[in-house]
Each structure stands twice: as C-alpha cells, then as structure tokens.
C-alpha cells in the first residue's frame, strides 16, 4: 500500500548515544536514510565529510542559509552552526522514503512548525547525569572546554523534553535501538500516512458490498 514517508527527528544531549542508536537501527533497516547535516565545526578524527556531516565554512553556511538551501538551522554549543539540507528531506518525503534527522531541540521545533504531523519527534535521554558525563568524556572527541559547552547545551536540551512525542532512555543499548525501531515501525502504520481508502474499497467490493 503506498504511504507517506516518516520523518523521524531524534534529539537529546550530546554524548547520550543518538549516533550509536541510529547507526544500529539503520543497520537493521537499510531502506531508511539519514539526513547529513551541514556544520561549521571541524571534523573529529574518523569523521568522513559527506557521510557524518558536510563540513563547511561560516561563509558557505550563510550562503546556503540565504539561498534557502536549509530546511532548518540553529546555533548549537554557543557558537557552532548546524543545519539540515532541504533537498534530501523533500525528496525522501516525496517518494515515500523514511528519513532520520539527528538535530537539536531548536531544529526539532522548527521541523515541527514546517512539516507538522509528518514529523515524529523522539527525545533520547541518559539513564543519569553521571552516565552522560562519563559517555561524553569517554568518547574523548572534545577538549575540556568543548565538553563543558556540550554539558551546558545538555541542560537546555533536557529543559525542552515536553515538545517531543516519544522519550527513550538509552541505558541498555539494544533496548534503546528496539524502542526507536518500534516508534518508526508504528509510525509507518499511522492511518493518516497510508493510502488506505482504495485498499478498503477493494476489500468491500470483493466482499460484494
Ligand atoms: P551522540 O551522538 O548523542 O553525541 P554517541 O553516539 O557519539 O552520542 O555516543 C557517545 C558515547 O557513548 C560513545 O562512546 C558510545 O559508544 C557510548 N554509548 C552509546 N550508547 C551507550 C549505552 N547505551 N551505554 C553505554 N555507552 C553508550
Ligand atoms: P555534534 O557536534 O556532537 O556532532 O552535534 C552537536 C549537536 O548538534 C547535537 O545536539 C546534534 O543533534 C545537533 N545537530 C546536528 N546536526 C544538526 C542540524 O542539522 N540542525 C540542528 N538544529 N542541530 C543539529
């Protein structure tokens, strides 16, 4: 049955495990795509341009923003710019493909305003503050200053949980992946996404009604 694609927005504090949970789910569901954001932050060791992010200069980011090439954008961690390229999202939705956006709470709010109920907002929380600090420090991708900026942003993220529809606590990783997958699979079956009418009419015709 033809259906509308699901736009899954996943937010939560830096270091909570969003990237890890999403990557595991995508390994299970290869037909789902992931939006690649633009950012003005430098790449971390091991990050690949075009796969993890499009790493751009501040001037290039501004150009894209002014040209209307970004669906949403936000200042995150006090001074870094992040944004979602518009075209891949529009193409996915136009062709009934599911797409995941890993963006902050400000971006989630913008996407909700622009796309309404087509977007599903999921917040991933840590089991405790201590676990978040441990994961962020354990990842060792940021220096002390960048880590403390991320912890400050985490407080802002947590203050906006109410704007989301689903809350998943990433304690046991497999359970978090199961829960995120459960949300996506359930949202695929939402009546308003399905072209159900011709299907049910056919069933009734077959039944002689
Ligand atoms: P985010 O994308 O939210 O910034 P990452 O996916 O980079 O976070 O995860 C941050 C760190 O936490 C990584 O080192 C990752 O391996 C670890 N991690 C993720 N999920 C869990 C979990 N459920 N339990 C323990 N460690 C986790
Ligand atoms: P990091 O620098 O750790 O990769 O990401 C930092 C934060 O920026 C995370 O909270 C992440 O969700 C957010 N982020 C990543 N891409 C985007 C984006 O395109 N738009 C918005 N609004 N936030 C983003």
């Amino acid at each position: 049955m033809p259906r509308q694609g699901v736009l899954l927005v996943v937010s939560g504090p830096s270091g909570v495990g969003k990237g890890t949970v999403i990557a595991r789910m995508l390994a299970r569901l290869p037909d789902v795509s992931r939006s690649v954001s633009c950012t003005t932050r430098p790449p971390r060791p091991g990050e690949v341009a075009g796969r993890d992010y499009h790493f751009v200069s501040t001037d290039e980011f501004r150009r894209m923003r002014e040209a209307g090439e970004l669906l949403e954008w936000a200042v995150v961690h006090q001074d870094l710019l992040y944004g979602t390229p518009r075209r891949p999202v529009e193409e996915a939705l136009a062709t009934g493909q599911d797409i995941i956006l890993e963006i902050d709470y400000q971006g989630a709010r913008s996407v909700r305003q622009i796309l309404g109920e087509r977007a599903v907002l999921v917040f991933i929380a840590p089991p405790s503050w201590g676990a978040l600090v441990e994961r962020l420090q354990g990842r060792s991708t940021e220096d002390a200053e960048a880590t403390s900026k991320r912890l400050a942003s985490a407080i802002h993220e947590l203050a906006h949980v109410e704007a989301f529809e689903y809350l998943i606590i990433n304690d046991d990783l497999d359970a978090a992946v199961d829960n995120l997958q459960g949300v996506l699979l359930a949202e695929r079956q939402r009546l308003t996404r399905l072209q159900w009418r011709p299907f049910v009419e056919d069933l009734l015709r077959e039944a002689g009604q």
Side-chain angles (χ1 to χ4, degrees):
M1 184 185 300
R3 66 167 177 88
Q4 235 180 37
V6 179
L7 177 67
L8 199 64
V9 174
V10 177
S11 304
S14 184
V16 74
K18 300 180 297 296
T20 307
V21 172
I22 290 170
R24 294 240 185 158
M25 188 181 83
L26 292 181
R28 295 182 186 176
L29 301 173
D31 53 335
V32 178
S33 65
R34 177 181 162 274
S35 157
V36 179
S37 295
C38 296
T39 181
T40 59
R41 90 152 157 72
R44 292 176 186 140
E47 279 186 333
V48 176
R51 183 194 70 186
D52 299 297
Y53 280 105
H54 300 293
F55 297 100
V56 298
S57 64
T58 305
D59 282 348
E60 172 63 2
F61 192 98
R62 290 204 183 113
R63 188 204 60 75
M64 294 177 83
R65 194 178 60 193
E66 257 88 271
E69 292 174 18
L70 300 177
L71 176 70
E72 63 74 37
W73 66 275
V75 180
V76 188
H77 308 319
Q78 297 171 32
D79 51 6
L80 298 172
L81 296 167
Y82 292 83
T84 305
R86 176 189 299 281
R87 197 184 300 154
V89 174
E90 289 182 347
E91 281 175 2
L93 293 182
T95 55
Q97 295 292 304
D98 303 322
I99 184 162
I100 302 195
L101 273 59
E102 185 191 329
I103 60 177
D104 84 322
Y105 74 93
Q106 307 170 83
R109 195 165 47 192
S110 303
V111 169
R112 167 48 42 84
Q113 275 167 6
I114 299 162
L115 289 162
E117 298 301 311
R118 293 194 75 166
V120 181
L121 274 47
V122 180
F123 193 93
I124 303 200
S128 66
W129 183 257
L132 179 67
V133 176
E134 231 170 69
R135 284 179 199 174
L136 203 49
Q137 288 172 347
R139 194 172 65 185
S140 339
T141 46
E142 274 80 28
D143 60 21
E145 191 195 341
T147 300
S148 72
K149 281 185 181 173
R150 278 171 164 71
L151 290 172
S153 302
I155 293 169
H156 288 297
E157 287 282 332
L158 289 165
H160 290 86
V161 172
E162 203 177 351
F164 289 76
E165 285 151 316
Y166 294 94
L167 173 67
I168 294 174
I169 297 173
N170 181 21
D171 190 356
D172 177 72
L173 181 58
D174 287 333
V177 178
D178 286 345
N179 284 329
L180 189 62
Q181 186 173 350
V183 169
L184 177 60
L185 296 184
E187 288 291 336
R188 281 181 176 174
Q189 306 312 129
R190 198 178 270 280
L191 208 62
T192 49
R193 288 188 210 284
L194 300 173
Q195 288 182 25
W196 58 271
R197 230 175 257 284
F199 172 79
V200 173
E201 280 165 6
D202 276 354
L203 280 180
L204 288 172
R205 211 169 294 122
E206 204 182 331
Q209 294 297 302

